[in-house]
Amino acid sequence: FPSHDNCSSQVGITYQEVIIPGSCITNYEVVRTWLATDACGNEATLTQNVMVVDNRIPIFITSVAPVIFTDCENIPQIPNVVAESASGGVTVIYEEETVEGDCASTSTIFRKWTATDACGNVAYLNQEIHLSCGVKVYNAVTPNGDGKNDIFYLEGIECYQNNKVEIYNRFGSKVYETVNYDNKDNVFSGVSDSSLNTMGGTLPEGTYFYIISYDYFDNTQYNLS
């Protein structure tokens, strides 16, 4: 505004500012008004509107490992995740989904935390838990062709291609040995390996012992017997 006009050499200017709250404490509108008045009482107004919008997303203050590799017996508990925001309280919602792997012993748990502040800003925190749950052994073998327990079934063994299966009789003699056991084509069905036992053929009913070896995590070998 000029400080003078044709009515007088001086024009009085007043300033007023009003703050209008928004949807949250960090969102608001500033209305600025300048009023110019000359000696004749003429007035002119100038208005400025300033919109202040907080678009800063919440900050997670809880540390969560983004990727974990473990087994089914050691799934980590769901942490209590907390987030904060300059706009005030933050609501955190947790979601979880389990996706089966390519074989029976593997799966992945996807965890997601969604943090929403009072201004509607949203942040996400994700965690993947890759599970490898070992081999479940069904140790009854009745190879009589009835379709029940006809083979030594090792649930999930196909997940571990670098596996080895050994079977011994009660005298400690090895009667069967193979690598890459797969529950389909390469299986033990109660028949002795002739290369290990000169008698060969179907083994007599009795108690047998087994050793199953396979690569688990980080190439660590677990022997189950």
Side-chain angles (χ1 to χ4, degrees):
F1 282 106
S3 60
H4 60 84
D5 62 12
N6 294 330
C7 191
S8 65
S9 59
Q10 294 295 325
V11 175
I13 298 177
T14 59
Y15 171 76
Q16 184 180 24
E17 181 178 289
V18 177
I19 296 178
I20 302 174
S23 59
C24 59
I25 62 173
T26 48
N27 280 1
Y28 55 91
E29 179 182 3
V30 180
V31 181
R32 295 169 175 171
T33 303
W34 290 266
L35 177 64
T37 307
D38 64 13
C40 298
N42 300 310
E43 294 181 345
T45 302
L46 178 65
T47 302
Q48 181 186 58
N49 295 75
V50 179
M51 304 296 297
V52 178
V53 178
D54 184 355
N55 56 11
R56 295 169 294 177
I57 64 174
I59 302 298
F60 287 98
I61 60 177
T62 303
S63 179
V64 173
V67 180
I68 294 175
F69 292 87
T70 187
D71 57 65
C72 291
E73 302 301 322
N74 295 287
I75 299 174
Q77 294 185 347
I78 302 170
N80 181 29
V81 172
V82 178
E84 61 182 16
S85 170
S87 65
V90 178
T91 300
V92 179
I93 297 176
Y94 173 74
E95 299 173 89
E96 179 179 301
E97 179 185 11
T98 299
V99 178
E100 299 300 326
D102 295 332
C103 52
S105 290
T106 63
S107 60
T108 302
I109 299 174
F110 293 94
R111 291 175 170 176
K112 182 174 74 173
W113 291 266
T114 303
T116 306
D117 66 16
C119 294
N121 299 309
V122 179
Y124 301 97
L125 180 65
N126 297 286
Q127 182 183 66
E128 294 181 13
I129 302 177
H130 297 273
L131 299 177
S132 185
C133 297
V135 174
K136 184 177 181 180
V137 178
Y138 294 80
N139 53 17
V141 181
T142 56
N144 54 15
D146 65 353
K148 299 178 181 179
N149 302 321
D150 285 337
I151 68 167
F152 184 38
Y153 185 63
L154 305 177
E155 182 178 310
I157 193 67
E158 67 275 9
C159 298
Y160 311 99
Q161 294 184 358
N162 296 321
N163 68 68
K164 181 178 181 181
V165 177
E166 302 167 88
I167 297 177
Y168 298 80
N169 63 21
R170 62 190 179 92
F171 302 108
S173 298
K174 185 183 294 186
V175 297
Y176 178 84
E177 179 181 29
T178 191
V179 295
N180 297 326
Y181 198 95
D182 61 7
N183 290 323
K184 294 180 180 180
D185 303 317
N186 188 14
V187 298
F188 173 68
S189 57
V191 177
S192 176
D193 187 340
S194 59
S195 65
L196 301 172
N197 188 325
T198 55
M199 296 182 64
T202 301
L203 293 165
E205 180 179 348
T207 300
Y208 293 83
F209 303 88
Y210 55 83
I211 297 177
I212 304 169
S213 307
Y214 55 92
D215 291 336
Y216 208 45
F217 290 115
D218 299 326
N219 294 320
T220 300
Q221 188 178 75
Y222 287 73
N223 292 329
L224 309 178
S225 61

